């Protein structure tokens, strides 16, 4: 959004409300913040952070935690696969019985059992995919934190964008009401976080 010739970041509450007047939104009283000021502050703070031992110490802790989660997920995946195979085996047995039984009452009971087993099998498949995706995300996170983060003062805007995407997950601005200052919070992908008191001008 543009403000007196300068690019600003601003809550889009008013815009969303105009497009969807019947929808209830939580009103945001956060004031706008100049984009150039945010980018400069985030750049300088991130460069300084990456030069500190504290950042890489946090990365090591996060990597250890990711490895622990990976081990737990691997165990869960193994257990789910065992349960999946057991259910699949029960389904095969049920199918064989369905072809043999002709008595309506027993046939109905067996069909209900078969439907229940099929549902359980689908739930196991869904949970296996979810855990598999989480396993991949954690592996990517470890690989990303282990890779060398290169930066220099002459980076282009596109190189800086790639640099930012690699190092932090989000940036938040909380402005003080009726004042031109507030707190800029940078959340890094390794779990590190810094709060910066910033004048918005």
């Amino acid at each position: 959004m543009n403000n007196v010739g300068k690019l600003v970041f601003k809550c889009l509450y008013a815009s969303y409300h105009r497009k969807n007047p019947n929808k209830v939104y939580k009103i945001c009283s956060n004031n706008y913040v100049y984009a150039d000021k945010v980018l400069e502050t985030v750049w300088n703070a991130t460069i300084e952070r990456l030069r500190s031992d504290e950042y890489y110490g946090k990365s090591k802790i996060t990597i250890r935690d990711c490895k622990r989660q990976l081990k737990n997920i691997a165990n869960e995946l193994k257990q789910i696969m065992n349960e999946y195979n057991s259910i699949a085996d029960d389904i095969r047995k049920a199918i064989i019985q369905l072809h043999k039984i002709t008595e309506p009452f027993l046939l109905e009971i067996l069909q209900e059992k078969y439907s229940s087993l099929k549902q359980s099998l689908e739930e196991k498949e869904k949970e296996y995919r979810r855990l598999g995706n989480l396993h991949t995300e954690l592996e990517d996170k470890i690989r990303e934190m282990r890779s060398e983060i290169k930066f220099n003062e002459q980076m282009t805007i596109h190189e800086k964008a790639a640099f930012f995407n690699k190092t932090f997950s989000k940036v938040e601005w909380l402005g003080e009401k009726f004042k031109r200052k507030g707190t800029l919070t940078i959340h890094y992908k390794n779990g590190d976080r810094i709060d910066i008191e910033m004048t918005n001008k």
Side-chain angles (χ1 to χ4, degrees):
M1 189 172 289
N2 200 280
N3 186 65
V4 197
K6 288 189 176 182
L7 191 66
V8 300
F9 294 121
K10 186 177 182 180
C11 177
L12 295 178
Y13 164 76
S15 176
Y16 288 135
H17 189 65
R18 280 195 300 273
K19 291 178 181 177
N20 302 282
N22 297 323
K23 189 171 181 180
V24 177
Y25 292 97
K26 182 179 179 181
I27 297 177
C28 177
S29 58
N30 205 5
N31 53 16
Y32 66 83
V33 58
Y34 287 113
D36 287 346
K37 184 68 176 180
V38 171
L39 295 175
E40 178 188 5
T41 304
V42 169
W43 170 258
N44 292 334
T46 300
I47 295 301
E48 183 179 351
R49 201 68 169 180
L50 287 174
R51 287 173 175 155
S52 70
D53 293 334
E54 184 179 353
Y55 179 87
Y56 291 100
K58 180 67 177 178
S59 293
K60 289 178 181 178
I61 293 172
T62 305
I63 288 173
R64 282 200 299 269
D65 182 60
C66 287
K67 284 183 175 180
R68 178 186 56 77
Q69 291 181 60
L70 284 172
K71 186 176 180 180
N72 291 338
I73 289 172
N75 290 333
E76 288 184 63
L77 287 171
K78 185 177 180 180
Q79 181 179 342
I80 289 173
M81 184 53 68
N82 290 337
E83 293 171 353
Y84 179 93
N85 290 334
S86 177
I87 295 171
D89 189 50
D90 288 341
I91 287 177
R92 283 190 290 270
K93 291 176 182 177
I95 291 172
I96 292 173
Q97 288 177 312
L98 280 169
H99 286 107
K100 292 180 178 180
I101 294 175
T102 56
E103 206 283 314
F105 178 72
L106 292 177
L107 192 61
E108 184 179 346
I109 293 175
L110 196 56
Q111 285 174 333
E112 288 179 359
K113 179 182 178 182
Y114 174 79
S115 297
S116 177
L117 287 169
K118 284 285 288 183
Q119 184 178 350
S120 296
L121 200 68
E122 289 171 1
E123 289 172 357
K124 294 300 177 185
E125 289 174 346
K126 184 177 179 180
E127 181 64 7
Y128 192 91
R129 285 194 299 271
R130 185 189 72 81
L131 288 171
N133 291 335
L134 181 57
H135 193 279
T136 300
E137 288 174 11
L138 288 168
E139 286 182 323
D140 290 342
K141 186 174 182 178
I142 290 174
R143 187 161 43 249
E144 195 168 53
M145 283 189 289
R146 278 178 169 168
S147 63
E148 185 181 356
I149 301 174
K150 298 179 181 179
F151 58 88
N152 62 67
E153 302 296 332
Q154 284 73 44
M155 277 183 168
T156 66
I157 187 68
H158 299 294
E159 289 171 334
K160 284 185 178 180
F163 168 78
F164 285 150
N165 285 332
K166 191 173 184 179
T167 53
F168 58 75
S169 54
K170 65 179 178 178
V171 177
E172 297 175 315
W173 165 253
L174 182 60
E176 293 185 24
K177 201 170 183 179
F178 307 122
K179 293 183 180 180
R180 296 293 297 278
K181 62 180 182 178
T183 303
L184 191 71
T185 302
I186 307 174
H187 299 265
Y188 294 97
K189 286 187 176 180
N190 69 346
D192 197 9
R193 162 186 164 165
I194 53 175
D195 298 307
I196 304 168
E197 298 300 316
M198 190 183 88
T199 303
N200 180 29
K201 59 181 180 179

